[in-house]
Amino acid sequence: MLNPEVVKFPAPENFVSYSQHSWHDSHNDHSWQRVIDHHPFNTKVSLLLPDTPSLPEFLHDSLTTNTEFYLIKNLPVLEFCSPVFLQAFLKTGQLYAVSCKSLLDVDNTAALTPDGQLHLILNKFTYQELSLSGTLSAHILRKPLERFVVKVNMKEPSFKPGRPHYTTVTSAFTQVHLTFTFWLTWIPDDTGVCPSSIAKYFHDLGYSVEERKSSLSQSIVTEVDMPVLGKDGEDTDPEDVFEWIGCQTLGVHLKTEGTTVCEVVTPKPSTLVNNVCSLQCTGFFTPRQLSSLLSQLRLWLKQRSESAVPWLSMTVYGHPDSPINWGTSEHVYHTNGDNLYTLVILRDQLRLYKVSCSRKPQRMYVKSNKNK
């Protein structure tokens, strides 16, 4: 029997935005590039490639070469404050680190972004014990109020040994031993420096460091009715295109004619294509790697016949338990943690779908009726 109280909870909100962009726009108009750059922690990439019975070598290399990242176990946050670490890594490259074995709604979580911001979401006990300035989480309404946000800017001038702010932060992290298992990758500004230097640094300090690589899986559908986009004035509805991409990614069989409201029908107009490859790649991807992948997909598309490969799609999924998702915005909890985007790649344009959770606080308790 269903709990009768469940119906009293409001449904979580999310937003799907859609926009079209010409490849010939000036750089300042590349809002799609800002979407890629402002989505720091990416754990899965999904590609749909028509007329691709076998994975192209360039694509395999792009997704598996130089995409290594590191799993560092039981790493104290205090290590990020070390003067040696700040000078050698934080100030000389782009660093992405996020706690990977903690749940956002019940555990303490942490992330470090390339701009030098350390983001923490803490329970009430840890927050009070830490005694650093923070704020109540803005995206949840619950009783008791027990989730707090702490941010530390490690690139500001006052964050260095001898300064009061640095002393306050390091003293707090010394007294409260905050440790996490991190996914971490570092892109040095100097191309002559090996990115694995950061792994050696932590290994030499005695921490367990494991190199991880992305993994690939794929499936092929021999015949698919693919939505028509931008051809002789014909264009499938954007919502139907987005739904079609999701169905192909999940392996949902589409019906030619719908018989119930629950069935998903083939979008119209559509064209028959062969050997659609649905490729799933899991790992830890930086915005720079995804921008490079997009450029390679564009070049490959130009080399293919338009009738065989009308367009491609790339969907990027964010980490579901990272403290932030878009830019430096606080990530909401498991009421709705949607944070993904889909790029539909055509020869003359790009179409962007961005899925984000509501910025409105989500109520996690049943609102009482005082009139009863």
Side-chain angles (χ1 to χ4, degrees), residues 5-218:
E5 295 295 317
V6 170
V7 297
K8 297 183 180 180
F9 288 94
E13 297 179 1
N14 69 350
F15 297 101
V16 180
S17 62
Y18 168 74
S19 56
Q20 297 185 29
H21 309 271
S22 170
W23 294 118
H24 305 296
D25 291 342
S26 66
H27 182 73
N28 292 333
D29 294 330
H30 285 174
S31 57
W32 55 267
Q33 184 65 59
R34 290 194 294 273
V35 169
I36 297 176
D37 293 340
H38 291 174
H39 201 244
F41 304 120
N42 307 287
T43 58
K44 182 179 178 180
V45 179
S46 176
L47 302 177
L48 288 181
L49 310 170
D51 194 36
T52 310
S54 61
L55 188 64
E57 183 178 354
F58 88 92
L59 194 54
H60 180 275
D61 292 343
S62 180
L63 292 169
T64 58
T65 304
N66 297 324
T67 58
E68 297 86 359
F69 60 101
Y70 302 98
L71 178 74
I72 305 181
K73 297 180 179 179
N74 301 318
L75 180 66
V77 174
L78 181 63
E79 291 291 359
F80 291 144
C81 304
S82 165
V84 176
F85 179 84
L86 294 174
Q87 188 62 39
F89 299 105
L90 199 65
K91 296 181 180 180
T92 60
Q94 296 183 356
L95 178 64
Y96 298 85
V98 63
S99 54
C100 62
K101 291 190 176 181
S102 52
L103 299 177
L104 188 60
D105 55 343
V106 294
D107 300 322
N108 295 324
T109 57
L112 186 59
T113 47
D115 59 0
Q117 292 277 355
L118 175 65
H119 302 263
L120 302 171
I121 292 185
L122 307 172
N123 59 44
K124 184 177 181 180
F125 176 79
T126 304
Y127 175 71
Q128 291 177 338
E129 191 179 20
L130 196 63
S131 297
L132 289 179
S133 177
T135 59
L136 186 67
S137 173
H139 297 302
I140 197 165
L141 297 175
R142 64 187 302 170
K143 294 180 180 179
L145 302 175
E146 57 181 15
R147 305 296 286 174
F148 294 84
V149 178
V150 174
K151 297 181 182 181
V152 179
N153 186 353
M154 295 184 170
K155 282 190 175 181
E156 65 180 9
S158 63
F159 197 77
K160 60 183 180 181
R163 295 292 185 92
H165 178 51
Y166 179 87
T167 301
T168 299
V169 172
T170 54
S171 296
F173 289 150
T174 300
Q175 295 175 8
V176 181
H177 201 59
L178 273 176
T179 63
F180 299 93
T181 296
F182 283 98
W183 282 335
L184 184 146
T185 188
W186 178 62
I187 306 174
D189 295 332
D190 185 350
T191 56
V193 177
C194 183
S196 64
S197 300
I198 196 167
K200 184 179 186 303
Y201 171 81
F202 285 118
H203 180 269
D204 290 345
L205 291 177
Y207 294 103
S208 172
V209 180
E210 299 177 9
E211 183 182 84
R212 296 293 179 90
K213 296 183 178 181
S214 57
S215 61
L216 299 177
S217 64
Q218 61 178 314

